[in-house]
């Protein structure tokens, strides 16, 4: 491993600086320095660092692997904020920035033609609708007038029939009958055709003691 | 100052089409080879000759107060609002017209709606909620509005009933003097 090799360094091995010393011999023999204290701890920390390295890599890899959401997916996942955005202001997503001006004659004419056709259609349909409604109203009014006329005619008819009846009874004679007829006509004229209901007279009687 | 975008141009035309019949004549080429174009400056739409618009490019945006005929204002929500300054153009190509009597001209110019009693005459076959230009009996355009009732319905209306809702009138030249061209 790398850290042990660094310790195996030439200068570190010849720590004592004396040829033939115990240290020098030892280093030559096994190639591994069995030092006490500081160097030991150094190696230990390095080992632990070695252990941690793949974790960082993994973390980085994991970070890189994180799924990236597209605009569409996000729009589905994240609830919309309660914002006040008027319809005219909202801009379509994914569209190129900047304005497209209309200044040439042709494009202006095409827009104008489209708008005018649309408007003409709208106005035409409005007019047709209004005309239809007017026709319906007219028809209803005619019907109501007709009903009114019918009712009046019926009333006139009943009046005529009553008059004829009265004349006939006059021709046959009888004073009492005359009175009755007069009363009938009065009743009908005051209460319409439901005159028979009002014939009964109410009376009050007291019990004898 | 810049030309209008497609959507802006569409909204302007849609609004104008409410009041005018023949829009093509608005952008038709003139005899001298020039033509009229639409320009936007400080959210106001101007109807101006192309040659004049080209000359106006030498004036900075802030310094340019007005040019040509101011048609109206683009609102922040993308709608277009016609100003009284557009009246000469509207009255030239008006789709529907209402003539008010002399006794009705003053109330209209003071900002009230047109009532039936004040109407001298009106164009036939006018549906409700459609744009209409208001004239005096001497054929002088006074303003414009939106019909409250169709012509047939308005016939049955009582004299105090509103026939036309006012949108703009010539009195605005005085009333809105401060905000008409700027602000």
């Amino acid at each position: 491993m790398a850290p042990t090799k660094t310790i195996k360094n030439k200068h570190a091995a010849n720590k004592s600086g004396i040829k033939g010393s115990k240290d020098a011999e030892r280093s030559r023999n096994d190639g591994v320095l069995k030092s006490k204290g500081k160097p030991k701890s150094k190696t230990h920390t390095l080992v632990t660092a070695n252990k941690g390295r793949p974790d960082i890599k993994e973390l980085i890899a994991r970070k890189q692997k994180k799924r990236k959401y597209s605009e569409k997916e996000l729009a589905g996942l994240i609830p919309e904020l309660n914002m006040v955005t008027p319809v005219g202001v909202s801009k379509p997503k994914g569209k190129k920035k900047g304005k497209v001006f209309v200044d040439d004659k042709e494009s202006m004419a095409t827009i104008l033609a489209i708008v005018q056709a649309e408007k003409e259609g709208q106005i035409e349909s409005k007019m047709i609708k209004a005309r239809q409604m007017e026709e319906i109203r007219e028809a209803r009014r005619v019907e109501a007038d007709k009903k009114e006329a019918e009712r009046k005619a019926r009333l006139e008819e009943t009046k005529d029939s009553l008059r004829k009846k009265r004349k006939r009874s006059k021709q046959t004679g009888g004073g009492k009958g005359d009175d009755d007829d007069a009363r009938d006509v009065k009743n009908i004229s005051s209460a319409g055709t439901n005159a028979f209901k009002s014939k009964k007279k109410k009376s009050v009687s007291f019990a004898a003691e | 100052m810049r030309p209008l975008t497609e959507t802006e141009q569409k909204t302007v035309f849609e609004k104008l089409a409410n009041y005018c019949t023949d829009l093509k004549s608005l952008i038709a080429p003139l005899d001298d080879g020039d033509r009229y174009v639409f320009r936007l400056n400080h959210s106001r739409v101007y109807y101006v000759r192309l040659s004049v618009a080209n000359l106006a490019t030498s004036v900075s945006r802030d310094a340019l107060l007005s040019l040509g005929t101011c048609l109206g204002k683009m609102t922040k929500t993308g709608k277009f609002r016609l100003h009284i300054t557009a009246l000469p153009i509207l009255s030239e190509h008006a789709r529907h017209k209402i003539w008010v009597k002399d006794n009705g001209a003053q109330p209209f110019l003071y900002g009230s709606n047109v009532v039936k009693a004040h109407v001298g005459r009106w164009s036939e076959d006018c549906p409700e909620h459609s744009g209409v230009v208001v004239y005096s009996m001497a054929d002088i355009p006074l303003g414009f509005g939106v019909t409250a009732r169709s012509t047939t319905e308005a016939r049955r209306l009582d004299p105090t009933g509103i026939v036309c809702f006012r949108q703009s009138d010539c009195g605005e030249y005085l009333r809105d003097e401060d905000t008409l061209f700027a602000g």
Side-chain angles (χ1 to χ4, degrees):
Chain A
M1 281 175 98
T4 46
K5 269 178 190 171
T6 51
I7 291 162
K8 221 174 167 183
N9 163 348
K10 207 178 174 182
H11 304 286
N14 251 344
K15 216 178 177 182
S16 59
I18 307 157
K19 273 185 180 177
S21 71
K22 222 178 184 179
D23 273 353
E25 261 175 45
R26 210 180 279 161
S27 64
R28 240 176 273 153
N29 289 338
D30 49 312
V32 179
L33 183 73
K34 291 172 183 173
S35 57
K36 293 164 197 172
K38 275 181 186 173
K40 201 180 181 182
S41 66
K42 230 182 195 177
T43 52
H44 180 72
T45 51
L46 283 167
V47 167
T48 51
N50 283 351
K51 270 183 187 173
R53 251 183 208 170
D55 286 348
I56 292 162
K57 269 184 186 173
E58 266 176 40
L59 274 172
I60 292 162
R62 235 180 270 160
K63 264 189 184 175
Q64 281 174 346
K65 267 181 196 173
K66 248 187 187 175
R67 202 187 155 187
K68 278 185 181 173
Y69 292 94
S70 67
E71 289 272 306
K72 272 184 191 175
E73 284 170 325
L74 274 177
L77 285 170
I78 303 166
E80 272 181 43
L81 288 172
N82 189 16
M83 288 189 300
V84 182
T85 28
V87 182
V89 172
S90 59
K91 284 169 189 168
K93 281 172 190 173
K95 225 182 175 184
K96 217 179 174 187
K97 240 184 173 181
K99 292 171 183 118
V100 182
F101 297 126
V102 185
D103 207 23
D104 56 320
K105 237 191 277 176
E106 286 75 31
S107 53
M108 214 139 81
T110 48
I111 291 171
L112 199 141
I114 292 164
V115 167
Q116 196 145 25
E118 241 173 63
K119 262 285 166 305
E120 291 290 337
Q122 276 177 15
I123 289 166
E124 198 66 32
S125 67
K126 236 186 195 179
M127 299 257 268
I128 289 165
K129 218 190 239 175
R131 257 178 231 151
Q132 278 174 347
M133 290 298 286
E134 196 56 40
E135 267 174 32
I136 290 165
R137 267 185 220 133
E138 193 65 35
R140 268 186 195 163
R141 219 188 59 205
V142 167
E143 206 174 305
D145 282 353
K146 209 177 166 187
K147 269 185 184 174
E148 186 71 24
E150 251 175 53
R151 230 181 65 192
K152 267 189 181 171
R154 219 182 295 155
L155 191 73
E156 286 297 317
E157 235 174 67
T158 47
K159 271 184 187 174
D160 281 351
S161 68
L162 284 171
R163 266 178 216 144
K164 275 176 192 171
K165 208 177 166 187
R166 198 180 156 194
K167 271 180 189 172
R168 238 181 277 149
S169 60
K170 245 187 184 178
Q171 278 169 2
T172 49
K176 216 180 179 186
D178 256 15
D179 280 351
D180 280 349
D181 272 354
R183 209 180 297 146
D184 274 355
V185 171
K186 251 186 197 174
N187 284 338
I188 286 165
S189 60
S190 63
T193 50
N194 299 332
F196 295 105
K197 280 180 188 173
S198 61
K199 252 191 168 179
K200 214 179 177 183
K201 245 189 175 179
K202 277 181 184 175
S203 60
V204 183
S205 60
F206 299 98
E209 277 181 31
Chain B
M1 191 186 67
R2 64 167 176 81
L4 304 186
T5 62
E6 255 185 50
T7 47
E8 284 167 348
Q9 190 75 67
K10 209 178 166 192
T11 46
V12 169
F13 278 145
E14 270 172 2
K15 186 62 97 165
L16 286 174
N18 282 333
Y19 297 90
C20 300
T21 43
D22 186 26
L23 288 178
K24 273 180 190 167
S25 59
L26 285 179
I27 55 164
L30 304 170
D31 295 334
D32 55 353
D34 207 359
R35 67 188 171 99
Y36 275 96
V37 289
F38 296 89
R39 288 286 181 271
L40 191 114
N41 192 34
H42 294 305
S43 76
R44 273 170 176 74
V45 177
Y46 297 96
Y47 176 67
V48 61
R49 267 174 178 256
L50 183 62
S51 55
V52 177
N54 287 341
L55 285 174
T57 50
S58 56
V59 183
S60 69
R61 282 183 185 187
D62 296 328
L64 190 68
L65 183 68
S66 175
L67 81 156
T69 309
C70 178
L71 284 185
K73 192 179 173 185
M74 296 295 297
T75 65
K76 283 175 184 173
T77 51
K79 288 171 189 162
F80 179 63
R81 196 154 293 168
L82 277 170
H83 280 176
I84 186 62
T85 42
L87 185 63
I89 292 157
L90 299 184
S91 63
E92 226 172 276
H93 314 278
R95 189 189 291 274
H96 302 295
K97 297 177 181 182
I98 283 185
W99 286 266
V100 292
K101 291 177 196 162
D102 290 339
N103 62 344
Q106 199 184 13
F108 180 72
L109 290 176
Y110 274 74
S112 57
N113 299 324
V114 180
V115 292
K116 195 199 167 186
H118 291 155
V119 177
R121 57 181 176 148
W122 55 59
S123 39
E124 285 292 312
D125 259 2
C126 179
E128 66 178 339
H129 308 313
S130 65
V132 68
V133 179
V134 181
Y135 292 83
S136 71
M137 288 310 273
D139 254 352
I140 300 164
L142 300 176
F144 52 89
V146 173
T147 53
R149 307 287 167 100
S150 64
T151 320
T152 45
E153 270 181 77
R155 276 199 195 108
R156 286 195 291 270
L157 210 65
D158 56 317
T160 53
I162 292 169
V163 170
C164 166
F165 298 119
R166 184 200 71 94
Q167 295 285 297
S168 196
D169 63 83
C170 281
E172 280 176 27
Y173 278 112
L174 296 178
R175 294 203 303 274
D176 298 342
E177 197 182 356
D178 300 333
T179 55
L180 203 55
F181 288 102

